[in-house]
Amino acid sequence: GLPSIKDLLVSNNFFYGSIPNTIRSLARMEKLHLDNNRLIGTIPDDVLSLVRLRELKLSHNRQKGQCFFSVTECGGQRYQGGDLCCDGGTGENVCTDQLGVDVVGDVNYCLTPGLHGTIPAGFTNTPYLQVLDLSNTLLTGNIPPEIGGLSRLEILDLTNTTLTGSIPSSLGALTDA
Protein backbone atom coordinates (compact mmCIF):
# COMPACT_ATOMS: atom_id res chain seq x y z
CA GLY A 1 0.00 0.00 0.00
CA LEU A 2 0.83 3.64 0.21
CA PRO A 3 0.54 4.44 3.93
CA SER A 4 2.54 7.66 3.60
CA ILE A 5 0.35 9.24 0.88
CA LYS A 6 -1.07 12.63 1.94
CA ASP A 7 -3.06 13.68 -1.14
CA LEU A 8 -5.09 11.39 -3.38
CA LEU A 9 -6.39 13.55 -6.22
CA VAL A 10 -8.19 11.47 -8.86
CA SER A 11 -11.03 13.79 -9.91
CA ASN A 12 -12.56 13.87 -13.40
CA ASN A 13 -11.88 10.30 -14.46
CA PHE A 14 -14.00 7.25 -15.14
CA PHE A 15 -13.27 5.35 -11.93
CA TYR A 16 -16.16 3.14 -10.90
CA GLY A 17 -17.03 0.89 -8.01
CA SER A 18 -17.31 1.61 -4.33
CA ILE A 19 -14.88 3.39 -2.01
CA PRO A 20 -12.92 0.55 -0.39
CA ASN A 21 -12.94 0.13 3.38
CA THR A 22 -9.15 -0.18 3.20
CA ILE A 23 -9.05 3.61 2.75
CA ARG A 24 -8.55 3.70 6.53
CA SER A 25 -4.98 2.43 6.05
CA LEU A 26 -4.03 5.80 4.55
CA ALA A 27 -3.60 7.37 7.98
CA ARG A 28 -1.65 10.41 6.71
CA MET A 29 -4.34 11.36 4.15
CA GLU A 30 -5.11 15.08 4.10
CA LYS A 31 -6.84 15.51 0.73
CA LEU A 32 -9.15 12.93 -0.78
CA HIS A 33 -10.61 14.08 -4.10
CA LEU A 34 -12.75 11.40 -5.78
CA ASP A 35 -15.21 13.83 -7.38
CA ASN A 36 -16.48 13.58 -10.96
CA ASN A 37 -16.14 9.83 -11.30
CA ARG A 38 -18.60 6.93 -11.41
CA LEU A 39 -18.48 5.79 -7.83
CA ILE A 40 -21.34 3.76 -6.38
CA GLY A 41 -22.37 2.53 -2.97
CA THR A 42 -22.24 4.34 0.33
CA ILE A 43 -19.61 6.51 1.98
CA PRO A 44 -17.80 4.03 4.22
CA ASP A 45 -17.39 4.93 7.88
CA ASP A 46 -13.69 4.17 7.34
CA VAL A 47 -13.31 7.56 5.62
CA LEU A 48 -14.02 9.09 9.01
CA SER A 49 -11.03 7.33 10.52
CA LEU A 50 -8.74 9.61 8.48
CA VAL A 51 -8.11 12.01 11.37
CA ARG A 52 -5.79 14.29 9.37
CA LEU A 53 -8.30 14.76 6.55
CA ARG A 54 -8.67 18.42 5.49
CA GLU A 55 -10.55 18.02 2.19
CA LEU A 56 -13.12 15.41 1.20
CA LYS A 57 -14.60 15.83 -2.27
CA LEU A 58 -17.04 13.17 -3.42
CA SER A 59 -19.29 15.36 -5.57
CA HIS A 60 -20.66 14.50 -9.01
CA ASN A 61 -20.76 10.77 -8.44
CA ARG A 62 -24.24 10.29 -9.79
CA GLN A 63 -25.30 9.24 -13.24
CA LYS A 64 -28.50 9.38 -15.19
CA GLY A 65 -30.79 6.41 -14.60
CA GLN A 66 -31.09 3.85 -17.37
CA CYS A 67 -33.64 1.09 -17.82
CA PHE A 68 -32.97 -2.30 -19.34
CA PHE A 69 -35.88 -4.32 -20.63
CA SER A 70 -34.22 -7.65 -21.18
CA VAL A 71 -32.63 -9.93 -18.64
CA THR A 72 -30.01 -10.75 -21.28
CA GLU A 73 -28.68 -7.18 -21.05
CA CYS A 74 -28.03 -7.73 -17.34
CA GLY A 75 -26.23 -11.05 -17.16
CA GLY A 76 -29.03 -13.37 -18.25
CA GLN A 77 -30.35 -14.21 -14.77
CA ARG A 78 -32.97 -12.76 -12.45
CA TYR A 79 -31.64 -10.19 -10.02
CA GLN A 80 -30.90 -11.71 -6.60
CA GLY A 81 -29.51 -8.64 -4.81
CA GLY A 82 -26.11 -6.98 -4.58
CA ASP A 83 -24.29 -5.16 -7.38
CA LEU A 84 -25.69 -5.31 -10.91
CA CYS A 85 -24.09 -4.47 -14.25
CA CYS A 86 -25.96 -4.21 -17.52
CA ASP A 87 -24.74 -3.69 -21.08
CA GLY A 88 -25.19 0.00 -21.84
CA GLY A 89 -25.17 -0.67 -25.58
CA THR A 90 -22.07 1.44 -26.12
CA GLY A 91 -19.57 -1.26 -25.25
CA GLU A 92 -19.50 -0.06 -21.66
CA ASN A 93 -21.35 -1.52 -18.69
CA VAL A 94 -23.65 0.46 -16.41
CA CYS A 95 -23.15 -0.76 -12.85
CA THR A 96 -24.69 0.04 -9.49
CA ASP A 97 -25.05 -1.38 -6.03
CA GLN A 98 -28.27 -2.72 -4.53
CA LEU A 99 -29.50 0.77 -3.55
CA GLY A 100 -29.46 1.87 -7.20
CA VAL A 101 -31.48 -1.07 -8.60
CA ASP A 102 -35.21 -0.82 -9.22
CA VAL A 103 -36.79 -4.07 -10.40
CA VAL A 104 -39.77 -3.46 -12.68
CA GLY A 105 -41.76 -6.63 -13.25
CA ASP A 106 -39.72 -9.83 -13.24
CA VAL A 107 -36.92 -9.06 -15.68
CA ASN A 108 -36.80 -5.29 -16.25
CA TYR A 109 -34.22 -3.29 -14.33
CA CYS A 110 -33.73 0.43 -13.91
CA LEU A 111 -30.28 1.39 -12.63
CA THR A 112 -29.35 4.71 -11.05
CA PRO A 113 -25.61 4.53 -10.33
CA GLY A 114 -24.07 6.87 -7.80
CA LEU A 115 -23.17 7.43 -4.18
CA HIS A 116 -26.23 6.47 -2.12
CA GLY A 117 -27.14 6.17 1.50
CA THR A 118 -26.80 8.66 4.30
CA ILE A 119 -24.01 11.00 5.35
CA PRO A 120 -22.00 9.16 8.04
CA ALA A 121 -22.43 10.65 11.50
CA GLY A 122 -18.84 10.34 12.81
CA PHE A 123 -17.37 13.55 11.42
CA THR A 124 -16.13 14.55 14.87
CA ASN A 125 -13.26 12.12 14.14
CA THR A 126 -12.03 14.50 11.42
CA PRO A 127 -11.32 17.71 13.38
CA TYR A 128 -9.14 19.29 10.65
CA LEU A 129 -11.78 19.03 7.90
CA GLN A 130 -12.04 22.32 5.98
CA VAL A 131 -13.84 21.21 2.78
CA LEU A 132 -16.72 18.73 2.61
CA ASP A 133 -18.25 18.50 -0.87
CA LEU A 134 -20.96 15.86 -1.26
CA SER A 135 -22.94 17.73 -3.92
CA ASN A 136 -24.56 16.07 -6.92
CA THR A 137 -24.87 12.65 -5.33
CA LEU A 138 -27.85 10.48 -4.41
CA LEU A 139 -27.38 10.86 -0.65
CA THR A 140 -30.55 10.71 1.44
CA GLY A 141 -31.59 11.34 5.02
CA ASN A 142 -30.72 14.21 7.31
CA ILE A 143 -27.61 16.32 7.69
CA PRO A 144 -25.83 14.86 10.74
CA PRO A 145 -25.71 17.49 13.52
CA GLU A 146 -22.10 16.42 14.24
CA ILE A 147 -21.01 18.41 11.20
CA GLY A 148 -21.68 21.53 13.27
CA GLY A 149 -18.81 20.50 15.54
CA LEU A 150 -16.24 20.88 12.76
CA SER A 151 -14.73 24.20 13.85
CA ARG A 152 -12.35 24.42 10.85
CA LEU A 153 -14.98 23.69 8.17
CA GLU A 154 -14.94 26.44 5.51
CA ILE A 155 -16.91 24.81 2.66
CA LEU A 156 -19.92 22.55 3.11
CA ASP A 157 -21.53 21.78 -0.26
CA LEU A 158 -24.61 19.57 -0.22
CA THR A 159 -26.12 21.02 -3.41
CA ASN A 160 -28.31 18.80 -5.60
CA THR A 161 -28.67 15.80 -3.31
CA THR A 162 -31.85 14.16 -2.04
CA LEU A 163 -31.29 15.09 1.61
CA THR A 164 -34.40 15.77 3.70
CA GLY A 165 -35.34 17.09 7.11
CA SER A 166 -34.43 20.35 8.75
CA ILE A 167 -31.05 22.04 8.77
CA PRO A 168 -29.48 21.22 12.16
CA SER A 169 -29.12 24.17 14.50
CA SER A 170 -25.59 22.94 15.23
CA LEU A 171 -24.54 24.33 11.83
CA GLY A 172 -24.81 27.76 13.43
CA ALA A 173 -21.70 26.78 15.41
CA LEU A 174 -19.59 26.82 12.22
CA THR A 175 -17.61 29.99 12.87
CA ASP A 176 -15.29 29.82 9.82
CA ALA A 177 -17.93 28.78 7.26
Side-chain angles (χ1 to χ4, degrees):
L2 300 169
S4 63
I5 194 165
K6 288 175 60 177
D7 298 343
L8 181 59
L9 312 174
V10 293
S11 305
N12 302 308
N13 286 291
F14 294 98
F15 294 118
Y16 62 90
S18 57
I19 301 170
N21 289 333
T22 53
I23 196 89
R24 71 180 166 272
S25 67
L26 302 175
R28 295 189 64 217
M29 181 71 63
E30 293 181 9
K31 293 182 182 180
L32 180 57
H33 294 191
L34 301 173
D35 49 312
N36 290 292
N37 280 292
R38 296 180 178 182
L39 298 179
I40 62 172
T42 59
I43 301 171
D45 290 336
D46 296 293
V47 168
L48 303 178
S49 68
L50 302 173
V51 296
R52 295 183 182 186
L53 197 62
R54 291 185 294 115
E55 295 183 8
L56 177 59
K57 294 184 178 184
L58 300 175
S59 68
H60 294 88
N61 275 297
R62 134 193 219 165
Q63 297 143 55
K64 185 174 76 171
Q66 293 183 16
C67 292
F68 301 89
F69 300 104
S70 169
V71 73
T72 58
E73 293 175 306
C74 301
Q77 298 180 12
R78 286 206 160 112
Y79 180 65
Q80 301 293 319
D83 293 355
L84 180 65
C85 292
C86 298
D87 182 0
T90 60
E92 158 177 331
N93 280 341
V94 176
C95 299
T96 190
D97 67 327
Q98 186 168 343
L99 293 172
V101 177
D102 186 19
V103 179
V104 182
D106 284 339
V107 293
N108 300 325
Y109 309 111
C110 293
L111 307 184
T112 307
L115 283 180
H116 293 271
T118 59
I119 300 173
F123 276 100
T124 52
N125 297 332
T126 57
Y128 301 106
L129 198 63
Q130 296 172 325
V131 176
L132 178 59
D133 187 354
L134 305 175
S135 64
N136 295 287
T137 60
L138 297 168
L139 294 172
T140 59
N142 297 317
I143 300 170
E146 294 86 354
I147 289 177
L150 297 172
S151 63
R152 291 185 168 103
L153 195 64
E154 296 175 8
I155 297 172
L156 173 61
D157 192 347
L158 303 173
T159 307
N160 199 24
T161 63
T162 53
L163 295 170
T164 57
S166 59
I167 297 173
S169 60
S170 63
L171 291 186
L174 295 174
T175 56
D176 292 336

